[in-house]
Amino acid sequence: MSEYIVSARKYRPSTFASVVGQAALTNTLRNAVASDRLAHAYLFCGSRGVGKTSCARIFAKTINCAHRTAEGEACNECDSCRSFNEGRSMNIIELDAASHNGVEDIKNLCEQVQVAPTDGRYRVFIVDEVHMLSAAAFNAFLKTLEEPPSHAIFVLATTEKHKIIPTILSRCQIYDFNRITISDMVNHLQYVAQNEGITAEPRALSVIARHADGAMRDALSIFDQVAASSRGNITYASAIASLNVLDNSYFERLCDCFAASDVPGALNIYAEVRQKGFDSLFFINGVGQYVRDLMVARDPSTLKLLEASDDERQAMAARAAKLPPEFFYRAMAIVNSTDLNFRTASNKQFLVELALIRLCQLLSPSTTAMTSGGR
């Protein structure tokens, strides 16, 4: 029986082409390698799970590859590529600054920089979570980063660029990684599902992608969780149940209540949500997100801001067209006020119910004056 490998590891990118959602950035890196125009220091910035460390490793492997492909990818066959793939390359050194952030750690790294590569042209030093270095460690790093040996290349990775001192930033080429879009995530998850022999509904994969919040690594971990709970048949219902996510049908029904000024209907939907064990703050924030999504779906110029499939976008646009723009602005203000007051409210259920009542009255001409106070 073969050993099980989680999808986040099994499908970790190994070439520039396999990096999800960063085409412009990987093309730039590939062109830099092909033209041999390499800087001595790079800074990869972006939120977690978007491919910073993976790109650093791919970049490190590719610049030392003896026989790069016509597309500028590593060949995976030369001695350098094989040693990298087998984890025995002496030309790639990684330091996790989250746990090695002191002056001595950086001094040890700087000493290694002076050692020339045994084979290949470069030694690549990858420093992950570089913003975690102490102030003294940053200062100890400056001289080496400014004037490294010709064989040394540094790739620094961080989720918090604003914490890095300007003198470090000025010595690096800075690459900002994008949050991965819902559609890119869904396409990659479909590819993984096909490879693993798992059936998956596109709507279910969209739920997983939304839950991952722009991080491909998180999406793959969630995919494994849902696949295990649904025994390899991922449906929309199984994804919603496994992730304990509120189905959009609740928000669609609520929206109908708002349009019809149906206060009892809205309160009963909220009661259903509470009976299912969902937190009231989670619910009211979900209402806010849904109203926001409707607002951007209503106007063709902002429809692109809705992270969803084309079918979902069109359905949201059709629903949003039934409501005037002013409704969305006032509704978002009411939800925002409820969110701000939630933590200090002594009766949180009452606060949410009051918000729903006000939302239902927004389109009632006789109560417009009363609801305007929620702005």
Side-chain angles (χ1 to χ4, degrees):
M1 185 177 179
S2 59
E3 181 184 357
Y4 172 72
I5 303 174
V6 297
S7 296
R9 285 181 55 203
K10 186 174 182 179
Y11 293 95
R12 186 166 194 162
S14 58
T15 62
F16 286 125
S18 62
V19 177
V20 178
Q22 310 293 346
L25 188 149
T26 53
N27 282 338
T28 302
L29 290 175
R30 190 159 30 196
N31 291 339
V33 175
S35 61
D36 203 25
R37 297 174 64 88
L38 300 174
H40 67 271
Y42 296 83
L43 178 64
F44 290 175
C45 314
S47 56
R48 73 183 193 284
V50 295
K52 300 184 298 298
T53 307
S54 293
C55 267
R57 291 171 178 166
I58 295 166
F59 182 59
K61 177 171 69 170
T62 306
I63 62 177
N64 274 323
C65 176
H67 308 292
R68 288 192 289 271
T69 67
E71 294 77 24
E73 301 280 8
C75 70
N76 287 314
E77 295 177 359
C78 66
D79 290 341
S80 177
C81 285
R82 283 202 301 268
S83 65
F84 174 86
N85 292 337
E86 294 167 7
R88 54 181 177 82
S89 175
M90 301 299 292
N91 288 338
I92 300 171
I93 294 89
E94 294 191 42
L95 176 73
D96 178 18
S99 54
H100 300 83
N101 54 11
V103 174
E104 289 304 317
D105 297 306
I106 290 300
K107 284 183 177 178
N108 290 336
L109 181 70
C110 292
E111 288 174 4
Q112 293 186 59
V113 170
Q114 305 307 319
V115 180
T118 53
D119 56 3
R121 295 176 58 191
Y122 300 100
R123 296 191 81 200
V124 184
F125 298 84
I126 300 172
V127 184
D128 206 4
E129 301 297 344
V130 69
H131 63 274
M132 298 290 285
L133 290 178
S134 66
F138 269 130
N139 290 328
F141 194 23
L142 279 174
K143 185 65 176 177
T144 300
L145 192 63
E146 184 175 22
E147 298 177 359
S150 59
H151 62 259
I153 292 178
F154 294 96
V155 182
L156 316 179
T158 181
T159 55
E160 301 185 51
K161 181 170 68 173
H162 61 279
K163 290 186 178 180
I164 298 176
I165 59 177
T167 46
I168 292 288
L169 294 175
S170 66
R171 288 161 170 78
C172 301
Q173 283 191 9
I174 301 174
Y175 288 78
D176 291 302
F177 283 65
N178 300 320
R179 284 180 76 256
I180 302 175
T181 64
I182 299 294
S183 59
D184 282 340
M185 282 194 194
V186 169
N187 290 337
H188 190 62
L189 291 175
Q190 286 174 332
Y191 164 76
V192 172
Q194 290 172 358
N195 275 17
E196 297 297 314
I198 295 172
T199 58
E201 295 178 359
R203 284 184 71 203
L205 297 181
S206 182
V207 169
I208 293 172
R210 281 179 173 272
H211 208 66
D213 192 28
M216 193 68 242
R217 183 176 62 234
D218 290 5
L220 289 168
S221 297
I222 296 168
F223 174 84
D224 285 349
Q225 174 188 336
V226 177
S229 66
S230 59
R231 297 181 179 273
N233 180 27
I234 301 176
T235 63
Y236 179 74
S238 67
I240 289 290
S242 177
L243 300 176
N244 200 31
V245 173
L246 265 176
D247 187 351
N248 261 5
S249 64
Y250 288 99
F251 302 124
E252 291 168 1
R253 289 163 55 203
L254 266 177
C255 187
D256 292 339
C257 291
F258 299 156
S261 300
D262 182 6
V263 172
L267 296 181
N268 282 326
I269 291 171
Y270 175 45
E272 286 181 43
V273 170
R274 291 181 67 245
Q275 287 170 3
K276 287 184 176 293
F278 286 98
D279 177 73
S280 292
L281 182 59
F282 177 82
F283 166 73
I284 200 66
N285 283 332
V287 174
Q289 182 65 46
Y290 188 76
V291 171
R292 176 266 177 196
D293 287 348
L294 281 177
M295 181 194 69
V296 299
R298 192 180 191 280
D299 192 319
S301 66
T302 56
L303 185 59
K304 62 186 178 183
L305 300 178
L306 179 60
E307 292 190 330
S309 66
D310 289 340
D311 290 342
E312 289 174 320
R313 284 177 174 172
Q314 295 308 315
M316 291 283 280
R319 181 173 290 276
K322 300 175 183 177
L323 296 166
E326 294 77 13
F327 166 82
F328 302 110
Y329 310 147
R330 293 178 177 176
M332 291 170 71
I334 290 172
V335 172
N336 184 59
S337 175
T338 305
D339 176 53
L340 291 174
N341 294 328
F342 190 89
R343 290 159 187 81
T344 57
S346 57
N347 189 335
K348 301 182 188 305
Q349 179 183 342
F350 175 81
L351 180 69
V352 174
E353 288 177 339
L354 178 60
L356 293 175
I357 292 170
R358 295 170 69 190
L359 288 166
C360 287
Q361 292 177 328
L362 282 179
L363 297 178
S364 175
S366 62
T367 56
T368 300
M370 182 183 74
T371 59
S372 64
R375 280 185 275 181

